[in-house]
Amino acid sequence: MPLLKTTMVDVILGLQWGDEGKGKIVDFFAPRYDIIARFQGGPNAGHTLYVGDKKIVLHQIPSGVFHEQCTNLIGNGVVLDPVTLCREADSVKAFGVDLKKNLFISERTHLILPTHRALDKAAEGAKGEGKIGSTLKGIGPAYMDKTGRNGLRVGDLLHKSFTTQYIKLRLKHQKLLDNYNFDEDITQWEEEFFEAIEFLKSLNIVNGEYFINERIQQGKKVLAEGAQGSMLDIDFGTFPFVTSSNTISAGVCNGLGVAPQKIKEVIGVSKAYCTRVGGGPFPTELHDETGEKLRKVGAEFGATTGRPRRCGWMDLIALQYACMLNGVTQIVMTKADVLDAFEELQVCTGYTIEGKETAAIPFQMTHAAIKPKLSAFKGWNQDSTGMKSPTDLPKEMREYIAFINRFLGVNITWVSNGPGRDQLVQLGR
Ligand code: GDP
Ligand code: IMO
Ligand code: MG
């Protein structure tokens, strides 16, 4: 038997409803890894990071692209829109990043077609009041075609039958669109798509599962980058107000083709409070001026759609659930600085549903009103953005962190105190 070198795949993923600051954290940790791999989701993601003082939002490309020594992989679990990828290639080019050199794409990655976007729009429109609040990037329809065994994959682009396959699927989609009475002209979307696939074909299209496992075998270090958040997971999130992929750590295995025992650290990212964009239950949501203040101070507007994010206090019941599902080994708490300006903070430590107290996430969070049980904490009321070491952190912030650690049984090991690359404070494990 050949002796395995130390194998290691670490994961960074969101513990809430997305937008926890994963992009910044992946970018920060990227220099410690050889490969950064996206394992699920698609251009519904918007991962913000700063290169110098320049802000950049990535949708399809892994957040390791700004580190020359990192190889980036788009895994088979992702759904890929060639048009977004093409646009993103242009925007990173301005930073000297050449995707032909450091981006690899699994041939098994499913494609988002223009008609998937149209179907997303038509289906959301038809839902009326009960709409999910989808980003309308075609995510749901593309994953439906994957599980429905109709979808087209990146590897299909290289086959001469691609156009025929495309036309066949497009006809199928047209029937569905006709049922929705969707009559928007998508000719321009299709023109852009066919232009973009020429670019996509010029990139490194590989067998992703061999690509990653061979490198793991050689002792290379892999960081798997999650999109969305655990509460948006298709199985365990607040269904049906979720996305269409497995956002939790289990998604790494089928989204990249790595075996579970290869996964070591699961680094969960959580804001110091909570946000959600789109529809669906959110027990700690604040509809008052405190919620407004969180949105304003935290600049809580969607990185992909620009929509205002709903804001509320940290929900330890949801966070505990996410830690359980993911096997979280450490937590990065982001946006702690946003709480600098608050006299008092609150965290949710229980739910009351129909008069009964519970510490569990119910099967259906929309059937009955959930009343959060809140514990109050004194705020620290000082500017934390320049703090560099754990001893600099205000006593009240350390108490807040200690309480969360005790509640979750998992420690916050890093605190992010601003959007900048260097605004991260490491705490002891
Ligand atoms: P992602 O989808 O998880 O990568 O997160 P987004 O990029 O959608 O949203 C996070 C937002 O918070 C971005 O605008 C980041 O620049 C910003 N951000 C990240 N960490 C911090 C932090 O510690 N403090 C502040 N004030 N902003 C942060
Ligand atoms: P990142 O990776 C926050 C939400 C949408 C909607 C629901 C379904 O930036 O954290 P979809 O487009 O997947 O059909 O939308 O999921 N959503 C996100 N919310 N951050 C994201 O990604 C999201 N991706 C999808 O708002 O409620
Ligand atoms: Mg985001």
Side-chain angles (χ1 to χ4, degrees):
M1 278 259 290
L3 234 154
L4 276 181
K5 290 202 181 168
T6 317
T7 55
M8 199 187 81
V9 177
D10 291 343
V11 188
I12 289 183
L13 45 72
L15 297 179
Q16 299 168 310
W17 279 278
D19 301 330
E20 297 90 347
K22 300 173 293 291
K24 165 183 160 156
I25 305 305
V26 171
D27 173 58
F28 176 82
F29 282 109
R32 303 172 186 203
Y33 295 89
D34 302 296
I35 299 167
I36 314 294
R38 274 278 305 268
F39 59 93
Q40 47 69 233
N44 48 351
H47 295 178
T48 312
L49 43 99
Y50 280 82
V51 182
D53 58 358
K54 291 246 166 50
K55 176 176 160 172
I56 179 143
V57 182
L58 297 175
H59 303 284
Q60 288 276 192
I61 312 175
S63 303
V65 281
F66 297 104
H67 301 274
E68 228 175 289
Q69 85 293 354
C70 289
T71 296
N72 295 273
L73 175 69
I74 295 181
N76 58 281
V78 170
V79 283
L80 178 65
D81 184 342
V83 179
T84 310
L85 181 73
C86 208
R87 283 201 197 116
E88 236 165 82
D90 279 343
S91 63
V92 298
K93 210 177 192 173
F95 293 85
V97 176
D98 182 2
L99 293 188
K100 290 190 180 168
K101 286 203 189 114
N102 72 351
L103 179 69
F104 292 77
I105 303 169
S106 165
E107 56 197 359
R108 293 185 190 274
T109 305
H110 277 251
L111 289 168
I112 300 178
L113 309 184
T115 38
H116 285 137
R117 281 159 62 200
L119 281 166
D120 209 358
K121 204 170 168 190
E124 273 285 87
K127 281 200 165 105
E129 284 285 284
K131 70 174 187 186
I132 309 294
S134 156
T135 58
L136 305 181
K137 302 292 179 192
I139 307 298
Y143 278 115
M144 276 163 73
D145 269 343
K146 176 178 178 173
T147 49
R149 297 163 293 181
N150 291 312
L152 296 177
R153 298 180 292 175
V154 169
D156 294 325
L157 288 174
L158 308 176
H159 200 269
K160 58 181 184 320
S161 66
F162 179 76
T163 312
T164 318
Q165 289 185 64
Y166 177 88
I167 293 169
K168 214 170 128 198
L169 188 54
R170 202 215 179 285
L171 281 173
K172 226 177 221 177
H173 289 166
Q174 192 56 52
K175 286 191 189 134
L176 296 171
L177 289 169
D178 291 346
N179 270 343
Y180 282 117
N181 293 322
F182 183 90
D183 60 2
E184 276 182 46
D185 182 8
I186 60 162
T187 319
Q188 205 201 324
W189 290 5
E190 288 196 291
E191 280 170 9
E192 285 170 355
F193 176 81
F194 278 100
E195 250 173 60
I197 59 173
E198 288 311 312
F199 170 72
L200 175 51
K201 276 159 51 179
S202 75
L203 298 181
N204 301 294
I205 298 173
V206 296
N207 179 310
E209 57 276 25
Y210 282 111
F211 181 90
I212 201 158
N213 281 293
E214 279 163 13
R215 279 155 185 78
I216 291 172
Q217 185 81 24
Q218 291 158 9
K220 300 263 194 253
K221 292 181 178 148
V222 178
L223 178 62
E225 173 182 4
Q228 290 78 57
S230 304
M231 298 306 286
L232 288 171
D233 182 272
I234 181 72
D235 281 285
F236 301 104
T238 48
F239 191 87
F241 299 94
V242 292
T243 190
S244 300
S245 63
N246 281 116
T247 59
I248 60 168
S249 55
V252 174
C253 297
N254 58 12
L256 292 175
V258 299
Q261 66 269 38
K262 303 260 161 68
I263 296 176
K264 198 172 162 214
E265 292 291 326
V266 180
I267 303 161
V269 187
S270 165
K271 280 179 189 169
Y273 50 98
C274 197
T275 65
R276 159 160 221 173
V277 60
F282 180 3
T284 60
E285 182 170 14
L286 293 164
H287 298 279
D288 56 8
E289 55 200 40
T290 310
E292 200 52 57
K293 188 170 164 185
L294 280 170
R295 178 157 44 247
K296 197 158 164 247
V297 181
E300 294 296 355
F301 295 89
T304 297
T305 58
R307 290 177 292 177
R309 295 177 184 143
R310 299 155 64 193
C311 298
W313 297 120
M314 186 179 252
D315 181 343
L316 291 182
I317 299 303
L319 219 47
Q320 197 171 44
Y321 182 66
C323 287
M324 173 184 82
L325 296 171
N326 289 299
V328 172
T329 56
Q330 47 179 314
I331 295 172
V332 180
M333 185 173 85
T334 57
K335 304 194 94 161
D337 56 298
V338 174
L339 300 183
D340 286 357
F342 288 77
E343 292 283 329
E344 190 191 82
L345 318 174
Q346 302 202 32
V347 289
C348 168
T349 56
Y351 292 162
T352 305
I353 307 172
E354 291 178 329
K356 284 203 190 90
E357 272 200 30
T358 177
I361 294 287
F363 159 67
Q364 181 49 280
M365 287 178 95
T366 49
H367 280 172
I370 297 178
K371 195 169 166 284
K373 183 177 155 201
L374 295 168
S375 299
F377 287 80
K378 192 168 171 286
W380 40 92
N381 268 298
Q382 51 178 302
D383 181 0
S384 69
T385 53
M387 296 178 181
K388 301 269 176 231
S389 95
T391 48
D392 292 345
L393 298 180
K395 178 169 111 333
E396 291 82 0
M397 192 196 286
R398 282 185 274 135
E399 281 168 6
Y400 185 64
I401 291 170
F403 179 84
I404 297 165
N405 290 351
R406 272 199 307 278
F407 194 97
L408 298 176
V410 184
N411 285 351
I412 295 170
T413 52
W414 293 84
V415 173
S416 174
N417 54 347
R421 258 183 178 169
D422 57 344
Q423 287 175 298
L424 263 174
V425 179
Q426 184 172 17
L427 311 175
R429 279 194 96 159

